[in-house]
Structures are given as C-alpha cells and as structure tokens.
Amino acid sequence: MSVATYHLYHHPLDPSSRLVRLCLAEKGVACALVLEKPWEPSEIIASLNPAAEVPVLVIEQDGEKQVLCDAQAICEYMDETHPGSLLGKTPLERAEARRLLGWFDRKMRAEVTTLLLNEKAIKRLRGRGEPDSAIIRAACANIKGHLGYVGWLTERRNWLAGSEISVADLAAGANLSVLDYLGDVPWDAFPLAKEWYARLKSRPAFRSILGDHIPGFPPPSHYANLDF
Amino acid sequence: MSVATYHLYHHPLDPSSRLVRLCLAEKGVACALVLEKPWEPSEIIASLNPAAEVPVLVIEQDGEKQVLCDAQAICEYMDETHPGSLLGKTPLERAEARRLLGWFDRKMRAEVTTLLLNEKAIKRLRGRGEPDSAIIRAACANIKGHLGYVGWLTERRNWLAGSEISVADLAAGANLSVLDYLGDVPWDAFPLAKEWYARLKSRPAFRSILGDHIPGFPPPSHYANLDF
C-alpha cells in the first residue's frame, strides 16, 4: 500500500479551511495547499464540491481518489482514521466538542468572522466596494461575547471542551486567528482568552497558519508573535 | 439503573428540531416535547443552552441530567449510544452522510427554509411585519436546486448518502417537511424527489411530524397524506 497524499483546497483567511489545516497538523498529516478564492469559485472546486466551497480535502492512495467536503465531516473523518482523539473519549465528551465546534465554526463565524472578513479583506482583495462601518461596529461588538465565552470555559476546563485539546479549540482558534490577522481581537480586555490563545498558538500545529501572508494584505506585527 | 427519560425543547416548524425528532424516532426513543418559540427564547432555554436556541435534548437517568445542544451533536450522540447506524458503517460513508447533513441542515436551511419560514410563518405567528415578496421569490427559486439535487442523488443511490437511510435523509426530510407545511414544495416538477419523500413519509418515524398542527396556522390538506 502506497503512502496517501493529501491536497487541501483552501483560502488562507477562510476559518473553516484553517480548522481543517489545524486538524491535519494536529494529526501529523502533511498536506499540499491549493489556493481557491471563495468569492470566485474555480471550475475545479465546483467539480469537486457541489457546494463550490472550500475546504475540500482530496486524498489519493493506490490510484484511488477520495474527495471530502464540509469542515466538520473532514475533521470527523481524520479523527476516525488517525491515532489520537480530537473529539473526546466518551459520547458526552464528543457531544460537547461537537456543540462547541458548531458554536465557533458556525455561530461565531456568522456573527463575527464572516462580517469582518467581508468588509475588511474580501472587498479589498476583490477591489470592489467600501467597508461598511455599521457592519464592522456590529461585528466588533459581537466578538466580545465570544471572547468572554472562551474565558468562561477556560476558567472551568483545561481546554474549551474538557481536559484535552479538541476540535472545539481548533474551531475557535481558526476563527480568532483570522480575526487576529485582520487586527480585530481586543486581547488585552480578555486576559483568559488571551492566555488560552497563547497556549494554542505555541503548538507546532499552529505554525503553518502563523506563517500565512497574503500579498498586498500583510498581517499586523503581533500576528505571528508567541508573546503578543 | 432506571429508564432514561428524554425531553426535547423544540419548535414544530424549526427544521433542526425536526431533524432531532426524526433521529430519536428512528432510534425508537420516545421523548416529551417542550414547546419553545425561537423568536422569543424563554429563561429556561437560555439556561440550558448558552446559544438560547432549539433543539435542546435533556436526558435524565438515575438522578443525573445531561443537556445536549446542536442538532448534529445530538444526532451523533444518539447514534453512538443506541443500536443501528444513521451515519454509515465506514469512515467514508460517515463523511458523506455528514457532508449531506451539513448541506441540508445548514445550506438549504439558510437558502430556503429560514427565508420562507420567516416571511410566511414567523411574521404571522408574531403578528409583526408583512411578508417580503422578493425574499419569497428568491427562496422559491433556490428550492429547485435542492429538489434537483435530491433527485440526482436518488438516481445514484437508494437513500441520499448511500444504500441505507441516514441523517442526510432526515436533515433533508426535516427541511422539506417544514416547507411542505408551508405549501411551498413544487413536488410535481421533481418526481424523483417526490418518490424519495413518499418513501420517507411512510416510515413510522415520520408520523409525529405529520401530526403537527399549529393553532391558527394549519398545514395544507396534502401535508399528512402519504399519497400526495
């Protein structure tokens, strides 16, 4: 049996793509990244995923090709097929990790990340439209609730869903790292969330994401700094 | 060990609540339904779920109470703790069932169900606002793509994700049954989707949903008809 190769169709500022990159890295699986613009889906991504969305993971082994879509489905697949658990040991632990994956990858993304990403990055990268300051203000108000919730959880648990790191941490870290790239995380007002993010950021699995650099749209200087 | 009791906080027209009801019924688990208005969260739902959203499943056994939130997390928990599989046997089968759960419970819900539900039902039930015909038109255009996709899948497979019924069918059925309650599914233009829905509708697990009747907002006459 030959070694499997992994290709991930992604965008560096798409939080669900980052979630999958973090999951692969925590599993010690190397993947080649293929850049896609979510606002201008290529024919390739449309042929791989009927939703024409990133992330899409393509696994090739022994001449067979598997195409996986949907960030949560990909993380669950990786967890089922590779050693170590990013979901938890018991059904109740897994239910909590999945609840929080949903919280950060869907609720927080819709209330904060997608809004700021669209107003501050995508409009600029597409060269279309001006940022809407009312939307930016709303998203910057919403982020406080999520940072407070991260802090609340870490006062009660070692990691967000329990004693071990899980997809909940990866989903929260994926969204907060995108927002940090945009310079929009008020870390100093949320010391508990900051302490949790510093721990996450120092993991080897986070390195690839901290090395992201979009031409013409650089991150702030503290972005890759472990002592931010 | 005493018998576990199940309480589901739900709304009859919330598609994610219906997904959980279908999952519990397929597992043969009886639950007591507790009505919540999603547009006016009670103190109880806010205390059970920090997102203050339905569905929430409360399981009590031997004096212990477990609270589960997030439709996908609840379905996965039920699948892990009860005989029979609604996800599939292999990691690849489960990845496909989860991709399609995401497709119907999130993508289709956002593009169709939430829009029509809000314009045609929630505005009326709240006694606030008039339906927006532009939004209704957009949602009615979008539903065609999803019915076509259901048909496309059933031409290739016995059920949506593979040879056996799965959470993919339950998520699609949950959304389409809400839309059918609103009278908004153009069944006759999509005979393959209609044939699949007729099979789903005739399952005992579907009975509770076909019996739903919201005071002052009755379903159309074909709604509970197995030969529609």
Side-chain angles (χ1 to χ4, degrees), chain A residues 72 80 94 98 106, chain B residues 72 80 92 94 98 106:
Chain A
Q72 182 161 0
E80 290 180 358
R94 288 192 286 276
R98 289 179 178 124
R106 297 193 277 273
Chain B
Q72 182 161 1
E80 289 180 359
L92 273 179
R94 287 191 287 276
R98 289 178 178 125
R106 297 193 276 274

Side-chain angles (χ1 to χ4, degrees), chain A residues 49-51 53 66 68-70 72-73 76-77 80-81 90-92 94-95 98-99 102-103 106-107 149, chain B residues 49-51 53 66 68-70 72-73 76-77 80-81 90-92 94-95 98-99 102-103 106-107 149:
Chain A
N49 182 359
E53 283 172 3
Q66 305 297 350
L68 305 179
C69 311
D70 179 294
Q72 182 161 0
E76 298 262 2
Y77 178 88
E80 290 180 358
T81 54
T90 69
L92 272 178
R94 288 192 286 276
R98 289 179 178 124
R99 176 182 78 84
W103 182 289
R106 297 193 277 273
K107 184 177 168 65
Y149 192 40
Chain B
N49 181 359
E53 283 172 3
Q66 304 298 350
L68 305 180
C69 310
D70 181 294
Q72 182 161 1
E76 298 263 3
Y77 177 88
E80 289 180 359
T81 54
T90 69
L92 273 179
R94 287 191 287 276
R98 289 178 178 125
R99 175 182 79 82
W103 182 290
R106 297 193 276 274
K107 183 175 168 64
Y149 192 40

Side-chain angles (χ1 to χ4, degrees), chain A residues 80 91 94 98, chain B residues 6 23-24 26-27 29 57 59 68 71-89 94 97-98 101 165-167 170:
Chain A
E80 290 180 358
R94 288 192 286 276
R98 289 179 178 124
Chain B
Y6 294 79
C23 176
L24 288 162
E26 285 288 347
K27 292 288 181 182
V29 169
L57 183 66
I59 308 175
L68 305 180
Q72 182 161 1
I74 297 171
C75 290
E76 298 263 3
Y77 177 88
M78 291 305 297
D79 209 55
E80 289 180 359
T81 54
H82 289 77
S85 178
L86 289 170
L87 278 153
K89 288 190 193 77
R94 287 191 287 276
R98 289 178 178 125
L101 184 154
I165 195 169
S166 77
V167 288
L170 306 187

Side-chain angles (χ1 to χ4, degrees), chain A residues 141-191:
Chain A
N142 291 345
I143 195 177
K144 293 176 189 168
H146 293 282
L147 288 165
Y149 192 40
V150 166
W152 188 90
L153 290 166
T154 60
E155 275 191 304
R156 284 153 182 84
R157 304 161 173 179
N158 189 31
W159 292 97
L160 296 186
S163 57
E164 304 294 333
I165 194 168
S166 77
V167 288
D169 301 279
L170 305 187
N175 276 271
L176 283 164
S177 67
V178 169
L179 294 164
D180 205 33
Y181 193 105
L182 302 176
D184 282 326
V185 187
W187 291 119
D188 290 341
F190 295 90

Side-chain angles (χ1 to χ4, degrees), chain B residues 53-71:
Chain B
E53 283 172 3
V54 290
V56 173
L57 183 66
V58 178
I59 308 175
E60 286 179 90
Q61 187 166 30
D62 300 325
E64 282 204 34
K65 188 167 120 173
Q66 304 298 350
V67 179
L68 305 180
C69 310
D70 181 294

Side-chain angles (χ1 to χ4, degrees), chain B residues 40 52 76 154 182 204:
Chain B
E40 200 179 271
E76 298 263 3
T154 59
L182 302 177

